[in-house]
Amino acid sequence: QLQLVESGGGLVQPGGSLRLSCAASGFTLDYHVIGWFRQAPGKEREGISCTSSSDGTTYYADSVKGRFTISRDNAKNTVYLQMNSLRSEDTAVYYCAAKSYFCGIRWDSGYGMDYWGKGTLVTVSS
């Protein structure tokens, strides 16, 4: 069974850090594009990062650039999202997703993503 499972969410104070994990089973992540997305209550889904091993590209949304870092551990078949300097507006359910080949210019829309996790909740609050 092909699936992605996110973990690492929780409650953190503003200015704090969290590291989210996206573990894959049933397929090998290192041959896939991985994207991180989030959806806050009452808001549309937002693409926040995408990384492709096919062409070595990595993208970040302006809202998280300089604060979030995406990385892979191929041995563990896991992708991480390190989130620093968290703000209240980062509160959302965070999802990882995967597809083949390249992030593409529409990566932040989630277009073409074949596999999605069920999400992990991040709450930034004092």
Side-chain angles (χ1 to χ4, degrees):
Q1 184 178 1
L2 306 177
Q3 64 176 356
L4 295 170
V5 178
E6 303 93 337
S7 62
L11 174 64
V12 62
Q13 292 186 342
S17 298
L18 279 177
R19 188 179 75 161
L20 304 184
S21 300
C22 172
S25 60
F27 67 105
T28 304
L29 275 180
D30 57 348
Y31 297 118
H32 285 77
V33 169
I34 302 299
W36 280 98
F37 300 82
R38 67 185 180 187
Q39 188 164 19
K43 294 188 177 181
E44 293 187 354
R45 186 180 65 201
E46 176 189 16
I48 57 175
S49 186
C50 185
T51 184
S52 169
S53 57
S54 297
D55 60 4
T57 55
T58 299
Y59 302 93
Y60 296 96
D62 288 342
S63 58
V64 305
K65 200 171 293 182
R67 301 188 297 125
F68 291 11
T69 304
I70 192 170
S71 63
R72 295 176 184 257
D73 185 335
N74 291 335
K76 294 183 178 180
N77 210 25
T78 299
V79 172
Y80 302 99
L81 184 69
Q82 178 66 43
M83 307 187 296
N84 299 327
S85 303
L86 284 163
R87 308 166 180 168
S88 58
E89 54 263 39
D90 294 318
T91 295
V93 178
Y94 284 70
Y95 302 89
C96 63
K99 66 175 182 176
S100 299
Y101 306 120
F102 308 109
C103 292
I105 59 174
R106 296 173 60 185
W107 68 267
D108 55 344
S109 72
Y111 175 78
M113 292 292 182
D114 296 315
Y115 311 113
W116 290 84
K118 294 184 178 180
T120 185
L121 176 63
V122 173
T123 303
V124 184
S125 175
S126 56

